[in-house]
């Protein structure tokens, strides 16, 4: 009930429409009560006494009542659908906006397919309940109460006989409600698993085919799909059993009516018209009770789906603006890590006691093996995650004290896993600054060594690229991402393996452009190619989340530590005598570079 009341809050902005819908439904239902009376009058006042003149009049009355009933019910159906669509629009928007605010840690745990299922299947279930269930619920109560009142006014004894089966119907509805709700929740959860397997399979289609795993992936999908089918069948079996029982109980009420009412007609205490009208009212009485069974199914589906939607809406972002957060003013780019510690789980630090000072305009290079914490370290700057110890400041402002939007608009990031949108190349480059002039977009593309390629396309910068940049090479996508970061004009630029997919010639061109464009920007560069970082103002080497070496290229080479070993591997080809630690480091480096030979 708590979930339903919370869902009903979305109806508040449309209370006028809801009230109008219920009024239209009540008026329409009233004509359903008129029809049995018209039948009664037709039999008792026209057919029995042989009144031809009344027979035609009552026939037209019945047709008129049926027509008005249909019109009002059609209007009610349209209004309920209209209100339902408005509510679902609001709910889906709230869900999307809230997901945009959730921390990265939420998406680290959540499956994409399951989230998509909540947006589609679960929202559709809620829509079905809101657009149909509410009117059925209110209408059924009105029909039930009205039918009982009219029947009681006609013949109390016959009414009590007809209602004798009602407790059995109520018992059936209650049992169905108790058993079916957890079943529908499991169905929706299983639908999320099916969607997750499907999403992974589509996203990784090239990998699946490259390794010949089509049959294995099909088997995985069949397994989850079969579990979904079995859950649906078990729920259908339960619903069918109780619906069959309710149908039998309804027919039992009619049998009792025919037995007792027939006796009353024979005895002259009841007219034939009254018996026929009572029979119709029995259907009017039983139908709402039976509809409660359908309604219970709809409510439980809607509740189960609402729970899954509210589970996301109730997730509190771990990284948020604190009360009184200030707007970060335009920065110079002074980034300072002061004894920073961070871990995804308590007691398991990924970054431990890191101190690093990047002055405005400096280039800081970060190196280290797989799992050393390089990417995690730079993700703390735009507050993708919050430090768990120490402090991180930009121009003296603790990043936890400033508004997120004002922080992130002044930090540009280029990652190794480049994401591009299904849009024009120009819009992809200007994504972080949609109002950027065409000249600046072109300048950024030139700096990223991608302008000539774009100009040779049929539509140039207006060329629409496919989903995730389908049709572009890894290097082309990476260069577009670099251009996207440059066009923002951000004073802090993070380059996380941003040139890993580039050939040596293109990388050299971009390095030359970087030296010019990043001259007045602070850049944090993660790379394994020393050619990318050797000119950095400061180079730090991470090992198990700690800085084990720092300095400039020449000094670090002379130290004979990890950096020196990497230098020897890449530039001197010395891969002979090497202790175990650096041998493992070499393996880590090779893995990060996609298996490229060192």
């Amino acid at each position: 009930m708590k979930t339903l009341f919370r869902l009903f809050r979305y109806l508040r902005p449309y209370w006028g429409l809801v009230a109008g819908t219920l009024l239209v439904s009540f008026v329409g239902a009233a004509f359903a009560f008129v029809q049995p009376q018209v039948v009664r009058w037709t039999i008792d006042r026209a057919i029995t006494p042989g009144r031809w003149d009344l027979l035609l009049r009552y026939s037209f009355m019945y047709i008129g009542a049926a027509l008005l009933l249909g019109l009002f019910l059609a209007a009610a159906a349209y209004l309920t659908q209209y209100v339902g669509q408005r509510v679902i629009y609001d709910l889906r928007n709230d869900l999307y906006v809230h997901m945009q605010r959730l921390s990265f840690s939420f998406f680290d745990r959540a499956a994409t397919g399951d989230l998509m299922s909540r947006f589609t299947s679960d929202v559709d279930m809620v829509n079905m309940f809101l657009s149909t269930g509410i009117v059925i619920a209110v209408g059924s109560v009105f029909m039930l109460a009205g039918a009982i009142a009219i029947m009681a006014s006609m013949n109390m004894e016959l009414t009590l006989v007809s209602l004798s089966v009602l407790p059995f119907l109520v018992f059936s509805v209650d049992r169905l409600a108790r058993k079916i709700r957890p079943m529908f929740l499991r169905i929706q959860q299983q639908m999320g698993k099916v969607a997750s397997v499907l999403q992974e399979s589509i996203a990784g289609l090239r990998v699946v085919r490259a390794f010949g795993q089509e049959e294995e992936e099909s088997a995985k999908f069949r397994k989850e799909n079969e579990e979904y089918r079995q859950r649906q069948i078990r729920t259908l079996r339960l619903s069918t059993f109780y619906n069959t029982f309710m149908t039998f109980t309804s027919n039992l009420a009619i049998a009792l009516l025919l037995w007792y009412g027939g006796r009353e007609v024979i005895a002259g205490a009841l007219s034939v018209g009254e018996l026929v009208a009572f029979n119709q009212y029995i259907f009017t009485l039983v139908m709402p009770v039976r509809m409660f069974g359908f309604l219970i199914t709809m409510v439980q589906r809607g509740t189960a789906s609402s729970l899954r939607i509210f589970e996301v809406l109730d997730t509190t972002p771990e990284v948020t603006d604190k009360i009184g957060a200030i707007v970060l003013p335009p920065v110079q780019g002074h980034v300072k890590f002061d004894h920073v510690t961070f871990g995804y789980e308590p007691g398991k630090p990924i970054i431990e006691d890191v101190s690093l000072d990047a002055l405005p305009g400096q280039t800081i290079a970060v190196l280290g093996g797989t799992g050393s914490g390089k990417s995690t370290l730079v993700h703390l700057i735009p507050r993708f995650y919050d430090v768990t110890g120490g402090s991180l400041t930009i121009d003296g402002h603790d990043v936890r004290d400033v508004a997120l939007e004002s922080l992130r608009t002044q930090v540009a990031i280029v990652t190794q896993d480049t994401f591009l949108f299904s849009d024009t190349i120009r819009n992809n480059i200007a994504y972080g600054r949609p109002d950027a002039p065409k000249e600046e977009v072109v300048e950024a593309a030139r700096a990223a060594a991608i302008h000539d390629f774009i100009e040779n396309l049929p539509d140039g910068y207006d060329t629409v690229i496919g989903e995730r940049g389908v049709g572009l090479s890894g290097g082309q996508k990476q260069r577009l991402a670099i251009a996207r970061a440059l066009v923002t004009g951000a004073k802090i630029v993070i380059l996380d393996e941003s040139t890993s997919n580039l050939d040596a010639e293109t990388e050299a061109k971009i390095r030359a452009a970087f030296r010019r464009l990043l001259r007045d920007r602070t850049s944090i560069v993660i790379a394994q190619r020393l050619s990318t970082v050797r000119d950095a103002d400061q180079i730090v080497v991470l090992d198990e989340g700690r800085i084990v070496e720092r300095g400039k290229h020449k000094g670090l080479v002379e130290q004979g530590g990890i950096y020196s070993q990497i230098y020897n591997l890449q530039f001197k080809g010395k891969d002979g005598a090497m202790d175990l630690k650096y041998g493992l480091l070499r393996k880590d480096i090779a893995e990060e570079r996609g298996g490229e030979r060192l």
Side-chain angles (χ1 to χ4, degrees):
M1 293 303 298
K2 190 180 296 184
T3 302
L4 290 178
F5 282 134
R6 184 176 178 184
L7 191 61
F8 289 156
R9 292 196 195 109
Y10 279 89
L11 290 171
R12 286 179 182 172
Y14 313 106
W15 67 268
L17 282 172
V18 173
T21 303
L22 294 178
L23 179 62
V24 170
S25 300
F26 289 154
V27 174
F31 288 104
F33 295 140
V34 171
Q35 288 178 306
Q37 290 297 327
V38 174
V39 172
R40 173 190 171 187
W41 297 335
T42 302
I43 294 174
D44 291 345
R45 300 178 184 179
I47 296 176
T48 301
R51 295 284 303 274
W52 290 92
D53 56 324
L54 294 179
L55 185 63
L56 184 61
R57 180 189 303 174
Y58 288 137
S59 297
F60 277 115
M61 286 179 63
Y62 192 90
I63 292 173
L67 180 61
L68 290 172
L69 173 63
L71 289 175
F72 276 98
L73 291 183
Y78 173 80
L79 288 173
T80 53
Q81 287 290 338
Y82 179 80
V83 173
Q85 289 298 328
R86 293 296 298 267
V87 170
I88 291 307
Y89 172 82
D90 295 339
L91 182 61
R92 192 176 272 134
N93 277 345
D94 285 353
L95 186 59
Y96 183 82
V97 170
H98 185 72
M99 286 181 62
Q100 294 294 319
R101 295 171 180 161
L102 289 177
S103 304
F104 277 59
S105 54
F106 172 81
F107 297 99
D108 292 339
R109 298 186 298 266
T112 303
D114 183 61
L115 293 178
M116 293 297 296
S117 174
R118 299 184 196 221
F119 261 99
T120 53
S121 176
D122 287 313
V123 170
D124 286 341
M125 288 298 175
V126 172
N127 178 38
M128 183 181 295
F129 165 66
L130 288 176
S131 60
T132 307
I134 294 176
V135 172
I136 289 178
V138 177
S140 295
V141 172
F142 177 70
M143 294 287 285
L144 184 64
I148 293 175
I150 294 175
M151 291 168 66
S153 67
M154 292 174 61
N155 190 308
M156 180 60 73
E157 291 183 359
L158 197 57
T159 301
L160 293 175
V161 170
S162 303
L163 293 179
S164 61
V165 300
L166 199 59
F168 298 101
L169 288 172
V170 173
F171 172 78
S172 301
V173 170
D174 179 67
R175 293 292 295 174
L176 178 62
R178 292 176 183 274
K179 290 186 177 183
I180 209 165
R181 184 177 70 172
M183 298 178 73
F184 278 126
L185 181 58
R186 288 191 287 269
I187 284 175
Q188 293 305 104
Q189 291 171 340
Q190 185 61 31
M191 185 67 237
K193 292 182 180 179
V194 172
S196 293
V197 173
L198 180 62
Q199 186 273 334
E200 276 191 357
S201 178
I202 293 174
L205 187 61
R206 286 177 172 81
V207 176
V208 172
R209 292 186 176 178
F211 287 90
Q213 295 297 302
E214 293 91 341
E215 185 55 40
E216 285 72 12
E217 289 299 319
S218 297
K220 187 191 300 183
F221 181 81
R222 280 196 300 269
K223 177 185 175 183
E224 298 297 344
N225 200 27
E226 173 65 17
E227 180 63 24
Y228 178 76
R229 184 181 73 89
Q230 290 294 340
R231 290 186 185 279
Q232 287 278 26
I233 289 176
R234 286 193 289 270
T235 306
L236 179 63
R237 189 181 299 129
L238 181 68
S239 299
T240 301
F241 171 78
Y242 279 102
N243 284 329
T244 302
F245 180 76
M246 284 187 281
T247 300
F248 171 76
T249 307
S250 304
N251 289 324
L252 182 60
I254 295 173
L256 289 172
L257 172 67
L258 293 175
W259 170 73
Y260 188 85
R263 291 180 56 185
E264 293 291 292
V265 170
I266 293 172
L270 190 72
S271 70
V272 175
E274 287 177 319
L275 179 62
V276 174
F278 246 95
N279 186 60
Q280 285 194 273
Y281 281 124
I282 283 290
F283 280 106
T284 307
L285 174 70
V286 171
M287 184 56 67
V289 179
R290 291 197 58 195
M291 287 301 293
F292 277 128
F294 173 72
L295 179 64
I296 288 297
T297 301
M298 188 180 298
V299 169
Q300 301 303 350
R301 278 183 173 270
T303 303
S305 294
S306 299
L307 283 170
R308 284 167 48 80
I309 292 171
F310 290 140
E311 184 181 8
V312 176
L313 290 174
D314 290 339
T315 302
T316 304
E318 296 177 12
V319 178
T320 58
D321 288 340
K322 64 184 295 185
I323 298 176
I326 65 170
V327 175
L328 183 65
V331 301
Q332 297 300 311
H334 184 188
V335 180
K336 184 177 182 180
F337 292 78
D338 187 10
H339 299 286
V340 166
T341 297
F342 170 78
Y344 297 104
E345 299 177 24
K348 297 180 180 179
I350 304 296
I351 301 295
E352 193 169 1
D353 194 31
V354 169
S355 293
L356 182 62
D357 198 3
L359 298 176
Q362 284 190 336
T363 297
I364 308 298
V366 183
L367 281 78
T370 301
S372 61
K374 305 184 301 297
S375 294
T376 301
L377 182 70
V378 297
H379 287 168
L380 297 175
I381 298 174
R383 285 189 70 197
F384 291 165
Y385 306 92
D386 267 340
V387 301
T388 53
S391 65
L392 170 58
T393 62
I394 295 179
D395 286 6
H397 298 282
D398 193 310
V399 293
R400 291 169 292 187
D401 296 334
V402 302
L404 279 170
E405 184 178 0
S406 65
L407 168 66
R408 291 175 179 171
T409 54
Q410 301 194 65
V411 179
I413 303 177
V414 182
T415 62
Q416 182 178 10
D417 183 18
T418 303
F419 186 92
L420 298 175
F421 296 90
S422 299
D423 204 340
T424 64
I425 289 179
R426 176 177 178 173
N427 288 343
N428 268 280
I429 294 177
Y431 183 75
R433 190 177 153 214
D435 59 345
K438 175 71 176 293
E439 296 74 20
E440 294 187 25
V441 172
V442 172
E443 182 184 0
R446 289 185 188 278
I450 192 68
H451 172 72
D452 292 341
F453 167 76
I454 297 172
E455 284 289 280
N456 288 327
L457 293 173
D459 297 320
Y461 282 84
D462 292 324
T463 301
V464 176
I465 57 179
E467 183 180 4
R468 295 180 63 87
V470 172
L472 301 177
S473 69
Q476 289 164 346
K477 288 190 286 187
Q478 214 160 35
R479 281 178 277 168
L480 285 176
I482 292 171
R484 180 167 60 193
L486 294 176
V487 83
T488 63
K491 286 292 186 179
I492 301 172
V493 180
I494 298 172
L495 304 172
D496 187 356
E497 298 282 6
S498 61
T499 59
S500 60
N501 290 325
L502 304 180
D503 58 76
E505 181 181 355
T506 303
E507 183 192 12
K509 292 179 181 178
I510 291 178
R511 279 206 315 273
F514 275 174
R515 279 194 291 270
R516 177 174 58 87
L517 292 170
L518 300 179
R519 189 173 299 130
D520 60 343
R521 308 186 195 191
T522 304
S523 54
I524 313 294
V525 181
I526 295 177
Q528 294 300 344
R529 293 180 183 176
L530 297 193
S531 57
T532 306
V533 303
R534 62 189 301 172
D535 295 329
D537 297 291
Q538 185 180 172
I539 300 171
V540 296
V541 180
L542 288 181
D543 187 19
E544 297 182 354
R546 289 178 173 272
I547 295 179
V548 293
E549 294 180 18
R550 76 170 76 219
K552 290 196 173 185
H553 171 74
K554 184 177 180 181
L556 290 174
V557 170
E558 293 173 352
Q559 283 183 19
I562 295 178
Y563 186 87
S564 178
Q565 294 293 333
I566 298 173
Y567 174 77
N568 289 333
L569 287 169
Q570 291 192 24
F571 290 98
K572 294 189 176 181
K574 294 183 178 180
D575 56 356
M578 188 177 300
D579 62 32
L580 178 61
K581 178 177 181 180
Y582 299 126
L584 292 173
L585 176 61
R586 179 188 180 194
K587 179 182 178 183
D588 286 343
I589 297 166
E591 289 176 350
E592 284 207 347
R593 293 175 57 187
E596 180 181 347
R597 291 187 63 188
L598 297 174

